[in-house]
Amino acid sequence: MGQSQARAGRARPKPDAQHATREEERRGDIARPDAATAGAEKEEEEGRRPPRGPAMDTFFLSHGSPTLSIDDAIPARHFFKSWLPARVAGDRPPRAILVVSGHWETATPAVNVIRGTNDTIHDFYGFPKPMYQLKYPAPGAPDLALRTKELLERAGFGPVKEDHSRGLDHGAWVPLMLMYPAADIPVCQLSVQTDRDGAYHYNLGRALAPLREEGVLVLGSGSATHNLRKMGPMDAPVPQWAAEFDAWLKDALLSGRYEDVNRYEEKAPYARVAHPWPDHFYPLHVALGAAGDAARAEQIHQSWTNATLSYASYRFSTSN
């Protein structure tokens, strides 16, 4: 949410041009996270990695409109503000947070390596002036950024670019300012590749699985539905296409049909209407993949605004 124009008309690659899918994995072209986990264990013994602990759950959060930052009339705002009191992510605070946001697109994976405080990027237009004065001065997480780069390149997703100037876009800081208002947990971001497919992003997430046992909270931040051209008034009824796609997604996730979710453009009703461009959906695939193949999905919030913006959010519980 927040881009000035929809981008449904941009070219998408043919299926045979997409890479890092399950077929490539079976051929051995992409390393499995098992190898990355084994490497992490060795490095931990040598004192180069954080001690391993219970695996943290991963999450997909629908951040909807940037006005989530100031508008108490948005139901999801109260869900995000309950994050700490309700201990949604558990009793143990994360050592750091990795956010995969739909507002950062690159040709190949990129991480922001910030030593010091993250800048707050106001990457939206035409909104109330107070929103442009909001700041979320969370510290950067350069160690986590480099660890993320290491895991991805080890799994065949390189080269991973290091961005030493980019701060936090509103897909990261808007939900985080409500979830962790003290802004005292280090945060870094990972980009999405919109010329790839859902399976690519699921496998990219699988490469990041070791982070869960290193005290890292992996958050995918996007929207369960995201068609800006079909938005309506705040309290307008939900159209059929949006309701059916949202219901399909919930059923597929809760039933464990993750391959269907990876192939949502073929499997889901109204997929191209719900997501004319996939930037806000791929963060879900990364969070789902990072939780592991045996993960269990749970819907932790559901609400709507503007007729077509679903704030459906999910927890992916891992196997310790």
Side-chain angles (χ1 to χ4, degrees), residues 278-298:
D279 52 353
H280 275 57
F281 204 47
Y282 287 164
L284 181 148
H285 295 93
V286 178
L288 178 59
D293 291 337
R296 180 177 63 87
E298 171 192 1

Side-chain angles (χ1 to χ4, degrees), residues 120-122 124 131 134 136 168-177:
T120 303
I121 304 174
H122 299 91
F124 41 77
M131 292 174 56
L134 294 172
Y136 188 74
L168 302 178
D169 61 53
H170 80 267
W173 68 261
V174 168
L176 286 179
M177 69 177 290

Side-chain angles (χ1 to χ4, degrees), residues 5 8 44 53 57 75 101 114 130 146 152 159 161 173 230 280-281 291 306 318:
Q5 296 182 346
E44 176 191 322
D57 295 339
S101 168
I114 302 300
L146 296 177
L152 293 179
K161 178 183 176 182
W173 68 261
K230 292 187 177 294
H280 275 57
F281 204 47
N306 303 98
T318 64

Side-chain angles (χ1 to χ4, degrees), residues 4 12 16 48 67 83-84 95 138 144 156 177 185 191 289 304:
S4 58
R12 298 289 299 279
D16 58 5
R48 290 184 289 162
T67 54
W83 187 272
L84 277 181
R95 177 181 65 84
L144 172 57
M177 69 177 290
I185 299 175
S191 64
W304 295 84

Side-chain angles (χ1 to χ4, degrees), residues 211-251:
L211 296 177
R212 297 182 289 109
E213 297 178 343
E214 298 173 9
V216 175
L217 178 61
V218 178
L219 300 177
S221 180
S223 286
T225 57
H226 192 253
N227 189 328
L228 306 187
R229 289 183 173 177
K230 292 187 177 294
M231 288 174 58
M234 180 72 171
D235 57 354
V238 178
Q240 179 181 353
W241 65 262
E244 288 195 20
F245 180 89
D246 196 65
W248 174 88
L249 177 62
K250 178 180 179 181
D251 182 69

